[in-house]
Amino acid sequence: MMDKFISIEGIAKRYRGAAGGEIAVFEDLWLSMARGEFGCVIGHSGCGKTTVLNILAGLDEPSEGVVIVDGQAIEGTSLDRAVIFQSHALLPWRTVLGNVAYAVSSKWRDWDRAKVKAHAQIFIDLVGLTGAEHKRPSELSGGMKQRVGIARALSITPKIMLMDEPFSALDALTRGTLQDEVRRICLETGQTAFMITHDVDEAIYLADKIFLMTNGPGAVLAEIVENPLPKNRGRADLHRHPYYYAVRNHIVDFLVSRSKTFAADMPSHDPRDVPVVRIGKSELVIASVSDAQQEDPKLESWQGISRPSTSS
Amino acid sequence: MTTSLRFRAAIVSIALFLGFIAVWHIATRGSGVVANMSPEYAKLMGATATQGKSAMPGPIDVGGKLWEHLKRPFYDNGPNDKGLGIQLGYSIARVGLGYFLAVLVAIPLGFLIGMSPLISTALDPFIQILKPISPLAWMPLALYTIKDSGLSAIFVIFICSVWPMLLNTAFGVAAVRKEWINVARTLEVGTVRRAFTVILPAAAPTILTGMRISIGIAWLVIVAAEMLVGGTGIGYFVWNEWNNLSITNVIIAILLIGLVGMLLDQVLARFTRMVTFPE
């Protein structure tokens, strides 16, 4: 069994309904991740994704259950768990450097100004904002603001990085570059990351594990999809990988139809033992996967078809 | 384009001012109708009846008198004859002191109300009742308990400037964006540091707006308070000159009250701009 660096154990979140009864956003949710893994949660709005992330961050408390990180039950927020907010949440009266330095000086309170500044500068350079240190957030583009948010989260060298749809407010081009940056940084530093997204391609590009949640209220973690794509995948040839469409179709199918009917279809679903989907492995058979497994012969036969015209 | 607009606006302003002065001058030129009367009777009558002069001073009278005052702003010939600079100084000092005390009370209390829903709800009825009370209504009570007219005036300034600051601070603090608070929370920033590094800068523009409203009200109230309290101050000067029937001095005082009020407002407006951040 792999080690459970993050372990969410039977958490529930309930709100008081208008009629006086309690409405459960989700109940009895179990989820675990290993150190250095990148996890993505996908689900429709209202399934409680953000609530899960906020509980993990310590900004919200579960109505029931515990979250264990690195062998310890979490209690409130912590500098070990950095959050990248959807709306970047920069302090507008501080400069880029000031925003990052605020986080640095919060973690290392006895550091002097020069040391804080030098440390903050490393992370500003890392996200490619060298030269913009003394700009205020209002002078930055949306993508640059989110880079500052990433630099701020990384600067406190957290054990986990939590991201709540960090790129959803950005245009497609900026989103792409920032995804590349985040992936590069996470791979280089072995950062454990947990991200919420609506974007299936983003999840396939970034995540090692994709957590699929059904619709709320009463949402459950339906499946864990293991990303079949190689660790060294690149953005440019992502869609050429033989498993790419298999995994993408599986997730899209889930979001389009199965997320609504999952509870009715799977009455025996055990939230403590969520099925793990391994695309291309024997336990799950999808039409395109069986083709994909014979990758090399297929490629040759395809080349063979085109060959006659030249060889004859 | 902007400079041209400003230039044109300045021309209109000056034209309006000159027009006003001209109308004022013509209106107060005097009737010219002088009744025949015996010299003994004429001595009892005012200049309006004997020389046909207007009872209202004209712009030239006011200008001349103003020049006299400006030449000697700080003379002191006893309790009923002090320079305008001294009178204004007294008023500004009273406003300053009462206002400063109000800042000391309103901003910490506003923080508390803004940060704690319990305190906010508990204090709400008191604030709702105390806020609409005219500051001058406190005057008899202040005179009776403090037993000092100068301090009573300061108390009245305090009580009138405390409310806008208190309410604006509470509102500004309560309305700080949740995400900024969450940033501080995820960074494990303590309550005191959070108050100074996140809430104070975020709420500063709203707090300063409250302070600006307060200084305006305080300057309005000081004139009325000094009319009641007497002794010194620009409000007392206005009332004293009314008793002297020196309308010229009353007009000069009105002008100066307006000027000082504008300056106080401009100072606070500058501070507000300093703490305002673009988003």
Side-chain angles (χ1 to χ4, degrees):
Chain A
M1 188 67 197
M2 57 159 197
D3 76 314
K4 289 180 178 177
F5 186 59
I6 303 174
S7 181
I8 293 177
E9 307 196 342
I11 60 165
K13 186 70 189 179
R14 305 186 192 98
Y15 290 103
R16 188 148 298 166
E22 283 195 321
I23 297 170
V25 186
F26 52 80
E27 287 269 8
D28 204 19
L29 186 87
W30 295 71
L31 188 157
S32 62
M33 274 172 60
R35 193 186 290 268
E37 254 185 338
F38 199 120
C40 263
V41 179
I42 290 194
H44 288 287
S45 303
C47 76
K49 305 184 297 285
T50 300
T51 313
V52 173
L53 185 124
N54 282 346
I55 289 170
L56 206 46
L59 291 169
D60 204 344
E61 278 179 14
S63 310
E64 215 174 279
V66 286
V67 176
I68 294 167
V69 171
D70 204 12
Q72 272 196 325
I74 64 164
E75 227 171 285
T77 56
S78 161
L79 284 158
D80 290 338
R81 284 166 274 130
V83 183
I84 297 176
F85 296 88
Q86 183 178 9
S87 54
H88 61 76
L90 300 179
L91 306 178
W93 54 89
R94 284 174 176 266
T95 59
V96 168
L97 184 65
N99 268 285
V100 181
Y102 184 64
V104 175
S105 60
S106 298
K107 171 127 186 181
W108 295 282
R109 293 183 192 190
D110 49 342
W111 281 13
D112 60 38
R113 199 177 277 259
K115 203 168 175 189
V116 166
K117 198 180 159 199
H119 185 87
Q121 188 67 48
I122 295 170
F123 290 90
I124 292 171
D125 296 345
L126 186 71
V127 297
L129 282 178
T130 319
E133 296 87 353
H134 300 293
K135 287 198 169 143
R136 292 191 189 272
S138 57
E139 300 167 282
L140 302 177
S141 67
M144 286 166 95
K145 281 182 198 163
Q146 198 53 284
R147 280 169 194 266
V148 182
I150 295 168
R152 178 172 65 186
L154 288 168
S155 69
I156 57 171
T157 57
K159 288 179 181 171
I160 308 170
M161 221 157 54
L162 301 167
M163 293 174 260
D164 186 1
E165 300 184 39
F167 311 131
S168 62
L170 305 177
D171 65 276
L173 217 62
T174 317
R175 192 186 309 155
T177 24
L178 277 185
Q179 285 165 357
D180 292 343
E181 299 272 337
V182 163
R183 185 166 161 72
R184 175 179 64 83
I185 291 164
C186 285
L187 284 177
E188 278 172 10
T189 57
Q191 185 74 53
T192 312
F194 184 84
M195 182 185 209
I196 288 175
T197 181
H198 274 119
D199 184 341
V200 177
D201 289 317
E202 181 171 272
I204 296 173
Y205 180 49
L206 293 174
D208 302 314
K209 272 184 183 172
I210 300 159
F211 302 98
L212 302 180
M213 282 182 79
T214 63
N215 292 3
V220 293
L221 177 59
E223 280 174 6
I224 301 166
V225 178
E226 279 193 359
N227 196 337
L229 271 57
K231 198 85 179 169
N232 64 351
R233 56 187 174 265
R235 163 176 305 284
D237 53 359
L238 195 68
H239 59 284
R240 292 209 177 80
H241 193 273
Y243 293 152
Y244 173 78
Y245 280 104
V247 67
R248 191 176 196 281
N249 290 344
H250 183 80
I251 297 170
V252 171
D253 283 343
F254 176 85
L255 287 176
V256 170
S257 50
R258 288 173 56 226
S259 61
K260 293 185 204 80
T261 58
F262 186 83
D265 294 347
M266 306 281 280
S268 61
H269 180 70
D270 178 5
R272 297 193 64 162
D273 187 20
V274 177
V276 178
V277 178
R278 295 186 178 87
I279 307 267
K281 310 276 160 66
S282 56
E283 54 212 83
L284 192 96
V285 181
I286 295 174
S288 56
V289 173
S290 52
D291 296 344
Q293 272 177 325
Q294 300 140 13
E295 183 186 347
D296 292 347
K298 192 187 169 197
L299 209 68
E300 269 175 12
S301 69
W302 183 80
Q303 283 172 333
I305 291 167
S306 64
R307 203 167 287 152
S309 60
T310 51
S311 62
S312 62
Chain B
M1 185 62 206
T2 2
T3 41
S4 129
L5 178 74
R6 279 192 151 186
F7 182 67
R8 282 180 291 155
I11 289 177
V12 175
S13 292
I14 291 166
L16 281 173
F17 178 72
L18 292 178
F20 170 73
I21 295 289
V23 169
W24 183 11
H25 179 72
I26 291 162
T28 55
R29 220 171 19 167
S31 60
V33 182
V34 182
N36 267 329
M37 55 184 83
S38 65
E40 279 84 14
Y41 184 61
K43 278 182 189 163
L44 298 171
M45 298 303 287
T48 313
T50 54
Q51 296 157 32
K53 271 181 111 179
S54 169
M56 204 65 184
I60 296 164
D61 305 322
V62 172
K65 194 81 181 166
L66 182 63
W67 180 241
E68 266 177 51
H69 280 297
L70 289 180
K71 273 197 293 191
R72 294 174 63 218
F74 297 112
Y75 72 90
D76 188 352
N77 296 342
N80 275 340
D81 192 10
K82 291 189 202 319
L84 267 175
I86 291 181
Q87 304 287 30
L88 279 172
Y90 272 111
S91 297
I92 292 171
R94 284 194 186 116
V95 165
L97 196 57
Y99 182 77
F100 177 68
L101 290 173
V103 170
L104 286 189
V105 172
I107 290 179
L109 194 61
F111 251 78
L112 205 61
I113 293 171
M115 289 174 92
S116 156
L118 173 77
I119 306 247
S120 165
T121 319
L123 288 184
D124 189 57
F126 298 104
I127 294 172
Q128 293 303 331
I129 290 175
L130 292 174
K131 189 180 58 156
I133 297 172
S134 163
L136 292 171
W138 292 97
M139 189 60 103
L141 203 58
L143 287 169
Y144 182 72
T145 44
I146 302 172
K147 296 188 178 66
D148 180 287
S149 61
L151 286 179
S152 297
I154 292 167
F155 170 77
V156 167
I157 294 304
F158 165 82
I159 205 84
C160 76
S161 42
V162 89
W163 307 115
M165 275 195 262
L166 184 71
L167 294 177
N168 262 50
T169 307
F171 174 75
V173 168
V176 172
R177 288 232 210 120
K178 191 92 201 276
E179 58 192 52
W180 296 336
I181 304 283
N182 280 347
V183 167
R185 283 177 65 196
T186 55
L187 294 173
E188 290 190 69
V189 174
T191 317
V192 176
R193 187 158 178 257
R194 193 198 303 174
F196 280 101
T197 57
V198 177
I199 297 171
L200 186 62
T206 322
I207 296 174
L208 260 294
T209 305
M211 289 175 72
R212 194 174 161 189
I213 297 169
S214 279
I215 198 84
I217 293 176
W219 189 245
L220 289 181
V221 168
I222 192 66
V223 175
E226 283 170 348
M227 282 180 179
L228 284 176
V229 169
T232 47
I234 193 72
Y236 166 74
F237 177 83
V238 171
W239 205 247
N240 200 29
E241 294 305 322
W242 162 238
N243 287 335
N244 289 342
L245 269 181
S246 169
I247 304 300
T248 315
N249 275 334
V250 170
I251 293 172
I252 287 169
I254 289 172
L255 188 69
L256 287 175
I257 291 168
L259 272 174
V260 173
M262 185 188 78
L263 286 177
L264 290 174
D265 187 63
Q266 289 302 308
V267 169
L268 265 295
R270 175 150 293 190
F271 284 139
T272 311
R273 272 201 298 279
M274 272 165 59
V275 298
T276 303
F277 46 83
E279 279 196 54

